Amino acid sequence: MAAEEESEMSEVLPREILKPFNKMPVRNAATVLLVGSYGTGKKQLAKSMVDVCTDTGLKLQVRTTTSLPLPEENTDTRPRIDYIAFIIDLTNRLSFSTVQSAVQCVDVEYFLGRACFVVTNVKGTSDHCVEMEEVSRLADMYNTMYICGGIKEGDPDERTTLANRLLQLVEVSAGRKNVSPLLVDLTCRQLSFQEEQTEFYTV
Amino acid sequence: MPEDFDTPDHDVSTPVTGVSSSPGSERNTLRNTRHGAGAKDTPHGEGGASLSVSKLNRTVQRGYLQRKYTPYRTPRTRSMVSPAADRTNTAEVAAPPDWSSLVRCSLSVYHVTPLYRCCWDRAGLKQLSGALSLHLAQLATAAGDNMYRVSITAKENTDDRLALEITVKRTDMTGRAGSLYAVLCNMEGEVTQLEQGAFTVLPLLLMTGPGTLQNAVGSWLEQRFDCRVCPMTFQPSDLLWAMALGLIRGTNDKVKKQTLDLHYNVPLKEAGLSKISLQIPVKHAKALLSSVTEDTENDLQLDELHLFRQALEAHMFHYFRIHLDTMKLCLVATPVLFVDKNGRLKILSVNHAPAVLRMMTSFAFERSPLTMCLKAANESRM
């Protein structure tokens, strides 16, 4: 069954998978990659992140893309990607499906605290085309946290708040805070430990 | 106690041993869950849904870490079969009620919280009719001398469920012009109506008639039975379920053009284009739906519906370069039924009315978690 399903998908070549530790880090600098389809507000978010960062002494570079894998021509000139933020707009089904296909091109190491899902347009459930449940299922499958925020709607303050939250995570993965991103990731999610209930599993 | 709040997530297919980066792991979410009984999730997590997880997970550790979920989750399967009236042929079953007054008129759909103290005997119903006509007379004094004649009856459905039928007729006009017809029903919903103590659970209200009368009847229901009557709006996913019901349940030979119409709203920033409408011949749509589903007789799975939607979107992108994913579905019209996102419904064929009502009842239940809490409270009391 697994073999059939794998053959139906297009193969992701090993050289296309984005890896965090292929390149050397740069002192006092960080690079963030924002992945999201057209119209989700990546450029606005990028601008507000850079604005917040100008006075903290961290040189931030924000790259945006609508799909992964990234083009090969830039592989040598591109710096090390410290953090990846996948942007999902709940009123846009296409953004969810591009994120679903993009997460396959990312190495496992990123999901240990160096990536997150940013969910926008969460308020106003009458416009939702993607259920929040599907997003949380995706996030659980990749063991990665998701942040709800507003980029295009609402006040510009919401965007600044979201940018600040992302920046705190970026600083941890860039190595500025003397704490491993995996530790931060573990403390960020609500988990409860339950005894196994065998009736939920079938063989 | 944490068990009161979280539903064990039996849909997560994460291998607990770690995050895998294999390409197949993500596709699994679309296809892996095949539920046996197709039961809905209850707040206590007792649903019969089962998940196949590899044996490795079970033997590796005794418990599992999971996220706390909200108590209500949308169902992954819906039944497309009509209620028991069609299925059983035994002579003991009473004649199915006549839904023909609901057919071919534009209905507004509301969902209602449980009604307090509704009595079903004839004297009680007469009293209700009297109270409603009094209420309407009080409201009408400002507008003039419109006298209304009200009758409230109970309709017996199969398996002992009752529906409340309200008819408000103007005395100066004959026929249906200017009159209101409303039905409060609970069509094979999960919570049966008569076991809840002083409350009667009739979550679905369908009304047809002038808007002022509808508001008047709604406000009377709220006052009399201490409930809330809220207009129901449909999400794109609900419209897709209704479309699937319309396709599967089939044919209506009285309608001239047999097409499936889908209307999409274009997001605001595309100047000059506000709506996209698709018309697909019904037999092609049915062929597509039957090619993605395994079991069209009984239950339809959410995954199959997603596959249908993705096929349609892929087709639109391939031929027209239009991303249907970014558009929002707002209207569905099949030969059997017509549903709008604002809560307008039209049933076009009387044979399929029970099936449509049953789906609407399940939508109404999803919008009022109050009913689930009532059921839970009653069960814990007993």
Side-chain angles (χ1 to χ4, degrees):
Chain A
M1 185 64 178
E4 282 173 32
E5 288 184 9
E6 281 199 37
S7 63
E8 283 166 357
M9 295 199 10
S10 55
E11 292 289 324
V12 179
L13 299 175
R15 64 166 189 274
E16 294 174 341
I17 295 182
L18 202 60
K19 292 188 181 0
F21 299 125
N22 274 354
K23 306 191 180 155
M24 296 300 292
V26 180
R27 194 184 171 83
N28 276 341
T31 312
V32 183
L33 179 66
L34 300 179
V35 181
S37 72
Y38 173 71
T40 46
K42 304 184 291 292
K43 296 234 163 52
Q44 293 180 5
L45 182 61
K47 187 161 183 318
S48 56
M49 281 175 81
V50 168
D51 287 342
V52 172
C53 213
T54 40
D55 41 349
T56 54
L58 174 74
K59 287 202 267 296
L60 183 71
Q61 191 185 111
V62 184
R63 292 180 166 241
T64 66
T65 177
T66 52
S67 70
L68 289 178
L70 297 175
E72 285 190 22
E73 302 85 61
N74 293 342
T75 316
D76 295 330
T77 54
R78 199 187 303 134
R80 179 178 104 139
I81 305 274
D82 292 307
Y83 200 80
I84 304 184
F86 298 96
I87 306 188
I88 299 177
D89 185 352
L90 284 187
T91 57
N92 189 343
R93 187 122 206 140
L94 182 64
S95 66
F96 187 64
S97 41
T98 46
V99 163
Q100 271 181 325
S101 49
V103 283
Q104 297 163 32
C105 301
V106 170
D107 190 58
V108 187
E109 293 282 344
Y110 274 112
F111 293 114
L112 298 174
R114 293 173 202 270
C116 78
F117 296 97
V118 174
V119 188
T120 65
N121 271 328
V122 184
K123 301 180 197 162
T125 51
S126 62
D127 287 332
H128 284 177
C129 296
V130 180
E131 307 266 330
M132 196 62 204
E133 198 183 62
E134 294 180 54
V135 174
S136 61
R137 206 176 286 149
L138 177 69
D140 276 343
M141 198 168 64
Y142 285 90
N143 264 334
T144 307
M145 60 186 266
Y146 61 89
I147 308 178
C148 297
I151 304 181
K152 287 189 161 179
E153 72 275 10
D155 314 323
D157 291 340
E158 285 195 33
R159 204 182 310 149
T160 320
T161 317
L162 182 62
N164 272 321
R165 286 183 77 174
L166 279 177
L167 269 167
Q168 286 169 6
L169 299 164
V170 168
E171 286 190 331
V172 167
S173 20
R176 294 243 303 179
K177 298 276 185 183
N178 280 337
V179 136
S180 134
L182 187 57
L183 184 64
V184 176
D185 182 56
L186 281 180
T187 58
C188 279
R189 280 175 291 142
Q190 275 182 330
L191 295 170
S192 69
F193 195 77
Q194 281 210 345
E195 289 302 314
E196 182 184 356
Q197 289 167 345
T198 50
E199 60 265 20
F200 289 108
Y201 299 113
T202 60
V203 176
Chain B
M1 284 295 280
E3 282 87 11
D4 286 342
F5 296 105
D6 37 51
T7 312
D9 177 26
H10 32 268
D11 287 335
V12 170
S13 61
T14 319
V16 183
T17 46
V19 177
S20 73
S21 59
S22 68
S25 68
E26 183 270 328
R27 281 285 162 156
N28 280 339
T29 55
L30 290 182
R31 287 181 212 203
N32 63 355
T33 49
R34 285 280 182 251
H35 296 257
K40 290 190 197 166
D41 295 327
T42 65
H44 295 279
E46 293 151 352
S50 57
L51 173 74
S52 50
V53 173
S54 66
K55 256 185 169 163
L56 180 65
N57 297 334
R58 190 152 68 156
T59 52
V60 159
Q61 62 180 51
R62 304 271 324 155
Y64 53 93
L65 292 172
Q66 60 165 30
R67 183 191 292 276
K68 277 187 200 279
Y69 275 108
T70 54
Y72 189 76
R73 313 255 306 278
T74 51
R76 308 205 71 189
T77 60
R78 286 192 198 266
S79 172
M80 297 283 141
V81 185
S82 77
D86 284 4
R87 278 183 264 161
T88 59
N89 297 334
T90 59
E92 298 103 52
V93 174
D98 175 29
W99 298 111
S100 58
S101 12
L102 284 180
V103 176
R104 270 192 299 276
C105 51
S106 176
L107 300 164
S108 312
V109 187
Y110 299 82
H111 67 97
V112 183
T113 57
L115 308 171
Y116 185 59
R117 291 218 185 156
C118 179
C119 26
W120 292 102
D121 50 343
R122 294 190 53 162
L125 291 177
K126 278 191 82 160
Q127 198 185 21
L128 288 180
S129 332
L132 178 56
S133 50
L134 195 64
H135 180 85
L136 286 176
Q138 283 173 346
L139 286 182
T141 46
D145 266 334
N146 291 328
M147 287 305 294
Y148 292 102
R149 202 171 56 229
V150 174
S151 71
I152 299 188
T153 54
K155 226 184 217 188
E156 175 89 30
N157 200 355
T158 55
D159 61 296
D160 288 336
R161 287 183 189 234
L162 295 169
L164 203 61
E165 198 182 26
I166 303 176
T167 321
V168 176
K169 283 204 180 45
R170 287 176 67 132
T171 46
D172 47 350
M173 287 189 190
T174 54
R176 293 189 72 171
S179 69
L180 172 129
Y181 176 73
V183 170
L184 264 173
C185 67
N186 176 0
M187 196 67 149
E188 286 199 13
E190 296 173 350
V191 184
T192 60
Q193 51 201 73
L194 296 175
E195 62 186 29
Q196 307 303 329
F199 286 95
T200 315
V201 177
L202 290 169
L204 184 67
L205 170 64
L206 299 164
M207 286 211 271
T208 165
T212 48
L213 270 186
Q214 289 190 16
N215 291 338
V217 171
S219 60
W220 174 76
L221 281 173
E222 289 187 347
Q223 281 174 10
R224 179 81 171 83
F225 295 116
D226 197 18
C227 61
R228 287 281 293 150
V229 172
C230 320
M232 201 145 96
T233 53
F234 295 112
Q235 299 285 327
S237 46
D238 302 329
L239 293 177
L240 280 177
W241 283 114
M243 174 201 76
L245 182 69
L247 284 182
I248 290 181
R249 288 296 295 169
T251 55
N252 183 5
D253 295 321
K254 295 188 199 149
V255 174
K256 284 190 297 246
K257 48 174 190 154
Q258 304 262 348
T259 55
L260 166 70
D261 287 337
L262 299 168
H263 288 214
Y264 289 86
N265 272 339
V266 178
L268 287 171
K269 55 185 189 295
E270 307 300 328
L273 183 67
S274 64
K275 203 160 79 157
I276 294 181
S277 69
L278 282 183
Q279 276 192 349
I280 307 171
V282 162
K283 52 184 195 307
H284 295 163
K286 270 195 188 173
L288 182 63
L289 190 60
S290 54
S291 69
V292 269
T293 59
E294 295 179 344
D295 171 24
T296 49
E297 286 306 313
N298 292 327
D299 291 344
L300 188 70
Q301 314 274 349
L302 184 69
D303 310 338
E304 291 163 354
L305 197 64
H306 276 319
L307 282 175
F308 180 85
R309 181 184 49 80
Q310 282 166 356
L312 212 57
E313 285 165 5
H315 170 86
M316 280 297 277
F317 187 66
H318 187 252
Y319 285 101
F320 301 106
R321 289 287 179 234
I322 295 179
H323 281 291
L324 268 190
D325 328 28
T326 52
M327 319 285 171
K328 185 176 171 224
L329 182 61
C330 66
L331 196 147
V332 166
T334 62
V336 165
L337 70 97
F338 164 98
V339 190
D340 190 0
K341 73 168 183 200
N342 295 324
R344 278 187 313 152
L345 170 70
K346 261 191 189 178
I347 309 176
L348 299 168
S349 134
V350 84
N351 302 330
H352 305 296
V356 175
L357 287 179
R358 178 212 241 174
M359 175 164 275
M360 292 293 144
T361 313
S362 61
F363 287 153
F365 269 119
E366 284 158 31
R367 279 155 181 77
S368 57
L370 202 62
T371 326
M372 298 298 180
C373 297
L374 184 67
K375 176 176 178 185
N378 280 333
E379 279 171 8
S380 63
R381 205 188 307 144
M382 289 176 193

